[in-house]
Amino acid sequence: MSTYVDGFVIPIPKNKVKEYKKMAKLGCKTWMKHGALSYFECVADDIKAPFSKNFPQMCKIKKNETVIFAFIVFKSKAHRKQVNAKVHKEFSQMPGAKNFSMPFDASKMAYGGFKTLVQD
């Protein structure tokens, strides 16, 4: 079975990680409820890369920032489209959705949909 993955790299102020985690837990619960196969939100820990560019360099983070690496796994691109439609509909109907603000600068976030190349 080949899967499809939505991936995110998000520079975030270190003092906002706790707030982000609350949001990520809600995201996890919601995506899984609507059919995602797996959901991961990870905060940078061991990110020194002696032979390549590392995430902080790639994201040009400031001293007070860290990096979130996140991904959601779906059965296929079509499945992703179905699940995301349900998730976005649910989020848009939540109280306070119109005034919700992210605990990071969304313009610095990188996002993409990925075909699985190798999978165990």
Side-chain angles (χ1 to χ4, degrees):
M1 173 178 89
S2 182
T3 55
Y4 198 82
V5 176
D6 275 353
F8 308 82
V9 176
I10 307 167
I12 181 170
K14 290 176 184 176
N15 66 353
K16 298 280 187 167
V17 171
K18 206 172 187 180
E19 184 180 342
Y20 183 87
K21 185 176 180 180
K22 288 179 187 177
M23 185 183 76
K25 284 182 175 184
L26 175 62
C28 180
K29 181 180 176 182
T30 308
W31 260 275
M32 295 302 291
K33 176 174 85 176
H34 290 296
L37 302 179
S38 298
Y39 184 103
F40 292 85
E41 296 267 6
C42 314
V43 64
D45 178 52
D46 182 13
I47 51 176
K48 294 179 181 153
F51 303 108
S52 66
K53 188 177 276 193
N54 59 42
F55 279 95
Q57 290 169 328
M58 184 179 76
C59 297
K60 298 178 183 171
I61 68 170
K62 299 172 186 167
K63 286 185 180 187
N64 69 330
E65 293 179 317
T66 189
V67 178
I68 299 290
F69 172 66
F71 58 99
I72 308 167
V73 182
F74 304 95
K75 293 177 188 174
S76 64
K77 189 173 183 180
H79 178 240
R80 168 224 202 191
K81 185 176 180 179
Q82 294 168 348
V83 171
N84 283 346
K86 292 174 186 175
V87 168
H88 293 126
K89 181 178 180 184
E90 182 171 334
F91 282 154
S92 71
Q93 295 173 347
M94 287 182 172
K98 290 186 180 189
N99 298 321
F100 180 77
S101 65
M102 297 287 196
F104 60 90
D105 180 355
S107 71
K108 292 175 70 176
M109 176 179 81
Y111 161 79
F114 299 83
K115 294 179 187 177
T116 303
L117 188 60
V118 176
Q119 181 176 348
D120 181 8

